[in-house]
Amino acid sequence: MNKNSWTRRQFIRVGTGAAAVGSVGKFTVLQPKPLWASPHPVAPSDTVRFASIGTGVRGCELLQASTRVPGIECVAVCDLYDSRHLAAQEAVKNPSVPATRNYKEILDRKDVDAVIIAVADHQHRRVFVDACAAGKDIYCEKPMSHTVEDGFTMIDAAHRANRIVQIGSQRVSSIIYAQAKEIYDSGKLGEVCHIEAH
């Protein structure tokens, strides 16, 4: 098959966002590398202790994923609802992990190196800025901010406090989406009128 003769329908059959066209009709399935597959595991003395602020559905998904990463330990959870405290403790498989309703108690703890922020979108700015001021590194769930102005304030807070920050927009930096963009830019798909990615 000629590499330039692909139709959109053929490409979609391969799996939108999950496969990319190689040369001369070959397929390359792209798989992101999970963090826990690092060839340099974290030494026990380098354990990163974190807490989760917000333990709803997404917060608990993040907690479950965190249990597969070596060299980390969840030392506290925070949410306004008691039922979410229980869900978080189940997610980290530790029924004795401390839980609170007040996120500032988390930020005051000296044994917390970093926080996951998975609260409602309009609360991201306040918790984020307070976490930076408390000297905590941050993983903040998407969207980063509720407004553009909030985003600039958050960036400024991270720079001022020299914090490590990651925003949970994984697809934006995914190798799969980067490869899909290369394929689109190459013109191999012809005229594209609609794109869906999952």
Side-chain angles (χ1 to χ4, degrees):
M1 172 180 267
N2 183 315
K3 67 180 179 179
N4 293 320
S5 65
W6 277 81
T7 66
R8 286 185 293 279
R9 180 167 288 149
Q10 289 168 322
F11 179 76
I12 289 169
R13 277 192 201 128
V14 172
T16 303
V21 180
S23 61
V24 195
K26 288 164 71 176
F27 295 101
T28 303
V29 177
L30 302 173
Q31 297 293 336
K33 286 185 178 179
L35 179 62
W36 54 89
S38 170
H40 308 291
V42 178
S45 61
D46 295 333
T47 298
V48 174
R49 290 170 182 81
F50 76 97
S52 182
I53 301 173
T55 58
V57 173
R58 185 62 183 144
C60 283
E61 288 173 352
L62 293 170
L63 283 171
Q64 286 174 337
S66 74
T67 63
R68 298 191 300 261
V69 179
I72 64 158
E73 179 186 358
C74 180
V75 296
V77 295
C78 175
D79 202 282
L80 295 176
Y81 300 102
D82 292 343
S83 61
R84 290 184 176 176
H85 295 172
L86 297 172
Q89 290 164 337
E90 288 175 12
V92 296
K93 299 176 179 82
N94 181 357
S96 63
V97 70
T100 181
R101 291 184 182 146
N102 183 351
Y103 77 91
K104 290 192 176 179
E105 290 178 14
I106 297 284
L107 300 181
D108 288 340
R109 290 181 57 147
K110 301 300 182 205
D111 64 337
V112 173
D113 302 311
V115 293
I116 293 173
I117 299 174
V119 296
D121 299 349
H122 68 280
Q123 297 172 317
H124 283 190
R125 173 185 174 169
R126 181 177 175 190
V127 177
F128 186 103
V129 169
D130 288 347
C132 287
K136 311 303 181 191
D137 293 324
I138 300 167
Y139 174 93
C140 183
E141 186 53 38
K142 62 187 171 293
M144 176 178 164
S145 62
H146 192 59
T147 67
V148 173
E149 293 77 18
D150 285 355
F152 285 124
T153 299
M154 294 162 74
I155 291 168
D156 185 51
H159 283 290
R160 275 197 326 270
N162 195 27
R163 294 296 86 209
I164 297 170
V165 173
Q166 180 173 348
I167 306 302
S169 296
Q170 295 89 342
R171 290 186 204 144
V172 175
S173 58
S174 166
I175 187 174
I176 294 169
Y177 287 84
Q179 186 68 48
K181 183 182 182 313
E182 285 179 24
I183 294 166
Y184 172 80
D185 289 345
S186 75
K188 291 177 183 175
L189 300 176
E191 184 181 353
V192 177
C193 301
H194 180 82
I195 295 174
E196 288 186 27
H198 301 277

